[in-house]
């Protein structure tokens, strides 16, 4: 395992990123990396040790880069202050993090006992959407919203129990003639995409078959994550290989819009790139969307090798 070039050298990209984090915080940065322990937990998912250290160290660099980016933003000033308070309350003068193996297919991070955890997934690399998952996990820590998280109000709830008197047809016509068109909302009042589309109905989902793959586009991230988790849980491994390779690889794709781990599509592709002959059957996907997620098929928008679904009723928050 070549620790020296990838981890220990002061001019390595990861150490430079750690030094940037140190200078920004004004605190020592201590990241506990135990390669032999990690190899014992994750080695079966790597074809050789030659890619093990670069992969793990690469994840650490993305983690530090994401944290630096978050701390540099004025919008996260309250979050940064809370982090420093958490460290100070434990009597520590250093930001500490430990690198651990974690179940699942995606990286994760958490803050427990004045110490960050950098979770390396127990799955075959490369890992997808690493920075997006770290950014999303950072956002969830400390229950401190970033500036710009616009929440809806419940002012209209006061009108829910008010009974309106019935109107005559002439009164209806007169009322319609005096209706003022609803203006477009101000851009600054519209929440970020990850907040807006979590509850905006109707939810939309489109399933398309491409060459040796299935693409699923969705406006509701929770629906995509549940579908991805279910398929990943029950997928079979390719036979005849020394390492575990799923027959079908499920990958959540980060949206081109918004911040953090906002996903708007899911791809199903052959787990082995050489197995482009694999014919992925869409029937389980279509049945899950309609029978489990409660979406309804829409004839308009559906066609050859494409299915369109909508769900009008919101999921409980």
């Amino acid at each position: 395992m070549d620790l020296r070039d990838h981890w220990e050298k002061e001019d390595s990209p990861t150490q430079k990123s750690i030094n940037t984090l140190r200078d920004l915080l004004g605190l020592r940065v201590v990241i506990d990396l135990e390669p032999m322990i990690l190899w014992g937990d994750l080695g079966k998912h790597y074809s050789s040790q030659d890619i093990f250290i670069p992969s793990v160290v690469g994840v650490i660099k993305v983690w530090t880069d994401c944290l630096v980016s978050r701390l540099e933003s004025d919008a996260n000033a309250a979050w940064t202050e809370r982090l420093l308070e958490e460290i100070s309350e434990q009597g520590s003068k250093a930001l500490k993090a430990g690198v651990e193996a974690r179940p699942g297919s995606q990286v994760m991070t958490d803050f427990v006992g004045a110490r960050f955890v950098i979770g390396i997934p127990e799955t075959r690399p490369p890992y997808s959407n690493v920075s997006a998952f770290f950014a999303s996990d950072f956002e969830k820590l400390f229950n401190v919203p970033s500036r710009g998280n616009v929440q809806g109000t419940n002012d209209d709830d006061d009108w829910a129990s008010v009974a309106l008197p019935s109107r005559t047809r002439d009164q209806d016509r007169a009322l319609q003639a005096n209706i003022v068109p609803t203006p477009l909302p101000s851009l600054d009042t519209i929440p970020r995409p990850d907040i807006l589309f979590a509850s905006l109905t109707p939810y939309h989902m489109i399933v398309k078959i491409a060459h040796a793959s299935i693409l699923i586009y969705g406006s509701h991230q929770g629906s995509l994550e549940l579908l991805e988790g279910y398929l990943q849980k029950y997928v079979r491994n390719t036979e005849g290989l020394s390492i575990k390779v799923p027959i079908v690889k499920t990958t959540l794709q980060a949206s081109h819009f918004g911040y953090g781990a906002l996903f708007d599509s899911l791809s199903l592709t052959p787990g082995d790139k050489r197995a482009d002959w694999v014919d992925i059957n869409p029937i389980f996907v279509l049945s899950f969307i309609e029978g489990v997620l409660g979406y309804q098929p829409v004839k308009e928008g559906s066609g050859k090798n494409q299915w369109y679904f909508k769900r009008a009723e919101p999921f409980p928050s």
Side-chain angles (χ1 to χ4, degrees), residues 7 14 17-18 31-33 38 55-65 99 118 120 130 134:
W7 177 246
T14 303
S17 182
I18 291 173
I31 298 181
D32 184 16
L33 173 62
L38 277 178
S55 296
V56 172
V57 172
V59 170
I60 297 174
K61 182 183 184 301
V62 175
W63 182 87
T64 54
D65 288 344
V99 185
I118 304 173
I120 309 296
V130 175
F134 281 149

Side-chain angles (χ1 to χ4, degrees), residues 15 28 31 56 70-71 78 99-100 118 146 175 206-207 219 231 274:
Q15 289 298 330
R28 290 189 304 118
I31 298 181
V56 172
R70 183 170 187 83
L71 296 174
V99 185
E100 303 176 2
I118 304 173
S146 301
L175 182 61
I206 296 174
V207 180
S219 64
L231 296 176
R274 296 166 296 181

Side-chain angles (χ1 to χ4, degrees), residues 64-86:
T64 54
D65 288 344
C66 286
L67 185 53
V68 166
S69 177
R70 183 170 187 83
L71 296 174
E72 287 179 333
S73 173
D74 292 339
N76 301 315
W79 190 95
T80 302
E81 183 177 349
R82 180 63 182 277
L83 170 62
L84 295 174
E85 289 174 355
E86 291 283 343

Side-chain angles (χ1 to χ4, degrees), residues 17-143:
S17 182
I18 291 173
N19 291 337
T20 300
L21 179 59
R22 177 200 63 197
D23 295 341
L24 184 62
L25 283 173
L27 297 171
R28 290 189 304 118
V29 177
V30 180
I31 298 181
D32 184 16
L33 173 62
E34 297 289 346
M36 296 309 299
I37 295 177
L38 277 178
W39 176 254
D41 294 334
L42 301 171
K44 62 184 178 182
H45 300 292
Y46 289 80
S47 57
S48 72
Q49 294 184 356
D50 293 338
I51 63 172
F52 174 66
I53 286 298
S55 296
V56 172
V57 172
V59 170
I60 297 174
K61 182 183 184 301
V62 175
W63 182 87
T64 54
D65 288 344
C66 286
L67 185 53
V68 166
S69 177
R70 183 170 187 83
L71 296 174
E72 287 179 333
S73 173
D74 292 339
N76 301 315
W79 190 95
T80 302
E81 183 177 349
R82 180 63 182 277
L83 170 62
L84 295 174
E85 289 174 355
E86 291 283 343
I87 296 173
S88 177
E89 287 174 0
Q90 299 295 325
S92 177
K93 295 183 179 180
L95 182 145
K96 299 178 181 179
V99 185
E100 303 176 2
R102 287 299 175 97
S105 61
Q106 306 292 352
V107 299
M108 58 77 62
T109 190
D110 200 356
F111 190 81
V112 182
R115 177 179 181 267
F116 277 106
V117 173
I118 304 173
I120 309 296
E122 296 178 350
T123 188
R124 183 189 183 197
Y127 313 120
S128 60
N129 303 306
V130 175
S131 60
F133 275 106
F134 281 149
S136 180
D137 285 346
F138 283 137
E139 178 75 19
K140 298 172 186 175
L141 295 178
F142 312 135
N143 294 319

Side-chain angles (χ1 to χ4, degrees), residues 148-197:
N149 285 11
V150 182
Q151 301 293 338
T153 64
N154 295 321
D155 294 342
D156 291 339
D157 292 348
D158 295 336
W159 297 92
S161 60
V162 177
L164 298 178
S166 59
R167 299 188 297 266
T168 66
R169 182 174 299 178
D170 289 340
Q171 288 174 324
D172 281 339
R173 290 172 178 169
L175 182 61
Q176 291 173 5
N178 293 319
I179 289 178
V180 178
T182 303
L184 288 171
S186 168
L187 182 60
D188 293 334
T189 66
I190 304 175
R192 294 178 344 205
D194 55 319
I195 298 173
L196 176 65
F197 292 106

Side-chain angles (χ1 to χ4, degrees), residues 197-211:
F197 292 106
S199 58
L200 185 66
T201 55
Y203 305 135
H204 301 270
M205 192 170 285
I206 296 174
V207 180
K208 296 181 67 175
I209 294 181
H211 174 66

